[in-house]
Amino acid sequence: FPSGGMRTTFEARGYTAWDPTSPMFLVESENGRTLCVPSVFISYHGDSLDQKTPLLRALEAVDRQTVALLKLLGDVDVRSVGATLGVEQEYFLLDRDDWAQRPDLVLCDRTLLGAASPRGQQFEDHYFGSIPPRVLAFMEELEFELHRLGIPMKTRHNEVAPMQFELAPIFEDANIANDHNALTMDVARKVALRHHLVCLFHEKPFDGLNGSGKHSNWSLVTDRGENLLDPGRTPHQNLRFLTFMAVCLKAVHDHGDAMRASIASANNDLRLGANEAPPAILSVFVGDLMTQIIERIIAGSPSEGTEQFIVDMGVGRLPQLALDYTDRNRTSPFAFTGNRFEFRAVGSSMNCAGPMAVLLGAVADATGRLAARLKAKLDGGARRDDAVLALLREAFTETAAVRFDGNNYSEDWRAEAAQRGLPERRDTPAALGVLRDPARVAFLREQGVYTEVELASRYNIAIERYIKQVTLEAETQLELLRTLVIPAGEKQLAATLGAWSGLAPAGDAKATAAMREAVTAGTRALSGHVERLSATLAEVMGAADELEKLLSGANGGHDEAATARRLADSVRPLMAKAREAADRLEHLVDDELWPLPKYREILFMR
């Protein structure tokens, strides 16, 4: 709820209202306890200033639309439908002393410089290895503290990158799960400090290593405890399951650009393209078996009657999916995993209420539209199963473009996605532009998730945050180059030139032929080193000058979209160029002269 948009500085008031659906809890400090009450935060006029209110609205929209569709499907005794959520939280742990010596980590939560360590994640020894004892002590204390707060933590393990880890709770109601995730992040930071560690939730703290996500596993559940994304034991239950599979496909197909905007940030942009699920192109993975069934529904023509066709085509045998028949596609941003969908594109530092509100708003919209089409078929006299199967055939055909089970990292997929008409918005300024298009976000207003003024405010806040974050990183990198990296390079150059001059013999007449040969060889070797060192140092100095010039002209005044675009197109590429030169310089400077803890020193704590 920063000032700006609908909440101007001179009237920056806000009001809280308790959320009775999420439990209160006590937070203990050194000198007492504080009662914390999960609450919404609204303006004087009732507009949402928080993340929780839109999520609660989206849950209401899903309940309303899903119950209506279920009644058309014959489930007339369902009174309510909610969403469940299980959040896989990835994070890095660093020794506090190393963190304190890196101004980029202190100010920006990520390294803006740093040459790759010879040993990174290529051996996968961290991922498959045992948890380091110091880390395990942190994890055990964290789990104890979370248990005291009622957070049902279930999973702990190493992740792929060195010093990267993951924790995950048992799934809960989506609203409570989101509150618990926000609380988990807060507690994890505090517990880490007690172990002289720092817990980083940044999406990409180390270049060249895996980034961190907040994989959001979600589903829809009735008041009778039935998971609507879990295949059943009867043809009717599986027709219902396929209907909600079609709902999810339609939600991503129709509103993938809004979902992309919901997970856009300066941090998450750094994950695009590899290392974790890339959210630049929103596609859906359903697996081989589901693909076969969907294609058979699209191509089939039930000549012997719908019920027999359903059994013959294998819908009656869908329960085998409950055995997790479908392997996961770790490159997919939105993957079906047996009885739920996993929204893998959410960034690790984000509050997942925002992405979940947009996702559930899209699901509510898709549910309402398919329900209206089904009702029209039933009103036209079609039998229920015939009408449902016909609707599935239409929906699966219409959403075929968004289904993709291959490698989302590949260049071939980018070309294929363009042919399919799927948008690729590769950075935050491009992704956030969707929020300014009334037609593309109309569904969020229609479903009551956001008002028009709230959507405008969300855009203003997000684009402003992008500008502030990238500007902070660029200014921090410039300071590192000017005050640490370039002086280290100059010291190395002076020391090397001193050694070079010291090789010159006092007098050739007194030197033997062997000495002259050794001096010549040493001078030649040092000459090449000096040349590389001075050239690389000049590159770093030139990049610093260029970055400083760009930053002085990066302010686009009140046109924040133009400023963000300039930062994305000019400043970030130049930062990458400066980093590449500085990282090469790191390999040319003596270890005792380099002023920053190196990757090999930070990432292999035992």
Side-chain angles (χ1 to χ4, degrees):
F1 49 89
S3 177
M6 63 183 176
R7 186 172 181 264
T8 53
T9 303
F10 67 87
E11 55 184 11
R13 292 182 295 176
Y15 300 87
T16 59
W18 291 8
D19 172 15
T21 66
S22 187
M24 295 180 284
F25 55 92
L26 289 171
V27 171
E28 293 190 8
S29 58
E30 186 174 346
N31 297 314
R33 297 188 179 111
T34 302
L35 176 64
C36 298
V37 184
S39 304
V40 300
F41 191 62
I42 58 176
S43 72
Y44 178 77
H45 300 288
D47 295 307
S48 164
L49 298 172
D50 62 346
Q51 302 273 26
K52 177 185 277 285
T53 300
L55 176 59
L56 292 173
R57 293 171 181 166
L59 288 166
E60 288 184 358
V62 165
D63 179 25
R64 181 175 62 252
Q65 299 289 6
T66 304
V67 169
L69 177 56
L70 285 171
K71 291 187 184 304
L72 292 174
L73 293 173
D75 293 279
V76 295
D77 54 347
V78 173
R79 297 181 179 179
S80 64
V81 173
T84 57
L85 176 64
V87 181
E88 300 174 39
Q89 178 69 63
E90 295 176 334
Y91 61 95
F92 280 82
L93 286 176
L94 305 180
D95 185 273
R96 192 173 181 180
D97 291 339
D98 291 331
W99 170 84
Q101 295 178 66
R102 297 274 324 206
D104 46 2
L105 284 173
V106 173
L107 298 178
C108 306
D109 284 337
R110 78 176 180 104
T111 55
L112 301 171
L113 306 169
S117 167
R119 190 183 190 97
Q121 63 188 48
Q122 69 269 41
F123 293 105
E124 300 176 326
D125 51 333
H126 179 68
Y127 192 34
F128 295 107
S130 60
I131 297 174
R134 187 175 171 191
V135 174
L136 183 59
F138 154 79
M139 289 179 169
E140 290 172 339
E141 183 175 349
L142 173 61
E143 290 162 3
F144 175 76
E145 294 291 348
L146 295 178
H147 176 74
R148 297 175 69 201
L149 291 167
I151 300 176
M153 201 52 58
K154 177 183 180 182
T155 300
R156 70 164 93 107
H157 62 82
N158 295 341
E159 257 301 333
V160 175
M163 294 312 298
Q164 185 186 32
F165 307 94
E166 181 180 298
L167 55 83
I170 300 172
F171 70 90
E172 303 177 274
D173 167 82
N175 176 43
I176 297 176
N178 185 71
D179 286 352
H180 279 172
N181 177 254
L183 187 56
T184 295
M185 295 170 70
D186 185 59
V187 174
R189 292 188 183 99
K190 294 175 181 177
V191 172
L193 293 176
R194 297 206 287 261
H195 292 259
H196 206 71
L197 299 169
V198 172
C199 185
L200 290 182
F201 292 107
H202 193 287
E203 282 75 3
K204 193 73 170 177
F206 298 100
D207 192 47
L209 299 176
N210 267 25
S212 294
K214 193 193 300 281
H215 304 159
S216 300
N217 298 270
W218 70 278
S219 191
L220 301 173
V221 62
T222 71
D223 58 325
R224 300 185 301 179
E226 294 177 300
N227 181 354
L228 297 178
L229 290 177
D230 195 1
R233 299 183 180 278
T234 67
H236 166 75
Q237 290 172 334
N238 285 323
L239 267 185
R240 184 181 66 188
F241 158 73
L242 288 170
T243 300
F244 283 95
M245 174 66 69
V247 163
C248 294
L249 288 169
K250 184 168 180 58
V252 180
H253 178 271
D254 292 357
H255 305 302
D257 48 2
M259 291 172 58
R260 168 68 181 93
S262 76
I263 50 87
S265 72
N267 295 352
N268 214 20
D269 282 355
L270 301 171
R271 294 172 64 220
L272 298 188
N275 296 324
E276 273 299 291
I281 303 173
L282 262 291
S283 63
V284 181
F285 167 82
V286 297
D288 293 342
L289 178 59
M290 280 306 309
T291 298
Q292 293 170 17
I293 291 173
I294 289 172
E295 294 299 335
R296 290 185 67 182
I297 289 175
I298 292 173
S301 176
S303 57
E304 68 274 62
T306 299
E307 292 183 6
Q308 187 58 44
F309 175 72
I310 289 172
V311 174
D312 289 346
M313 66 170 289
V315 174
R317 296 191 295 274
L318 271 181
Q320 61 189 304
L321 274 178
L323 300 177
D324 213 2
Y325 177 92
T326 302
D327 192 14
R328 294 203 305 177
N329 184 332
R330 294 182 179 275
T331 73
S332 176
F334 198 82
F336 180 67
T337 56
N339 61 0
R340 64 193 183 279
F341 275 96
E342 183 180 17
F343 194 7
R344 294 176 61 84
V346 182
S348 54
S349 68
M350 290 181 172
N351 184 321
C352 54
M356 286 303 299
V358 174
L359 168 59
L360 293 175
V363 169
D365 179 73
T367 303
R369 293 182 184 279
L370 291 183
R373 291 163 63 174
L374 179 59
K375 186 175 185 303
K377 294 180 187 299
L378 295 173
D379 290 346
R383 292 177 63 251
R384 180 180 286 125
D385 286 353
D386 293 342
V388 172
L389 192 60
L391 179 65
L392 290 178
R393 184 174 294 114
E394 295 169 3
F396 287 143
T397 300
E398 294 163 6
T399 60
V402 84
R403 284 189 285 113
F404 180 66
D405 289 359
N407 182 3
N408 286 256
Y409 297 160
S410 70
E411 289 298 316
D412 291 343
W413 166 232
R414 292 181 61 197
E416 183 181 340
Q419 292 178 348
R420 295 186 184 194
L422 300 180
E424 180 183 11
R425 294 179 171 86
R426 303 196 72 186
D427 54 40
T428 292
L432 292 178
V434 172
L435 300 180
R436 306 179 80 182
D437 184 347
R440 300 307 305 145
V441 293
F443 74 99
L444 292 171
R445 298 194 306 271
E446 293 166 0
Q447 297 301 325
V449 179
Y450 292 100
T451 65
E452 184 175 354
V453 69
E454 288 169 355
L455 283 167
S457 176
R458 294 315 190 272
Y459 171 80
N460 292 336
I461 290 168
I463 201 74
E464 183 182 84
R465 173 56 62 91
Y466 179 86
I467 292 169
K468 288 179 177 178
Q469 183 68 29
V470 177
T471 302
L472 169 64
E473 291 178 356
E475 291 175 348
T476 302
Q477 187 189 60
L478 181 61
E479 182 178 344
L480 292 178
L481 295 174
R482 293 282 196 219
T483 63
L484 295 174
V485 173
I486 292 174
E490 290 172 336
K491 289 179 183 177
Q492 182 65 55
L493 184 60
T496 305
L497 288 172
W500 189 9
S501 61
L503 280 177
D508 284 349
K510 297 180 180 180
T512 62
M515 181 183 294
R516 285 199 302 271
E517 185 176 343
V519 167
T520 301
T523 302
R524 190 181 300 115
L526 275 172
S527 175
H529 179 64
V530 167
E531 185 177 343
R532 288 193 304 275
L533 180 60
S534 59
T536 305
L537 181 58
E539 279 187 63
V540 175
M541 296 172 72
D545 290 340
E546 194 175 350
L547 183 59
E548 187 172 23
K549 182 179 178 181
L550 265 182
L551 283 174
S552 64
N555 189 350
H558 293 293
D559 190 345
E560 292 182 318
T563 300
R565 189 70 266 157
R566 192 176 299 112
L567 289 169
D569 292 341
S570 301
V571 173
R572 275 207 151 171
L574 183 56
M575 289 178 64
K577 176 183 175 183
R579 175 176 192 146
E580 191 274 333
D583 291 352
R584 279 190 283 113
L585 184 65
E586 180 180 328
H587 288 301
L588 299 174
V589 173
D590 289 350
D591 196 58
E592 68 231 20
L593 294 179
W594 193 253
L596 299 169
K598 298 181 178 181
Y599 273 24
R600 60 175 169 78
E601 298 165 336
I602 294 176
L603 290 169
F604 296 95
M605 181 180 67
R606 290 291 182 264

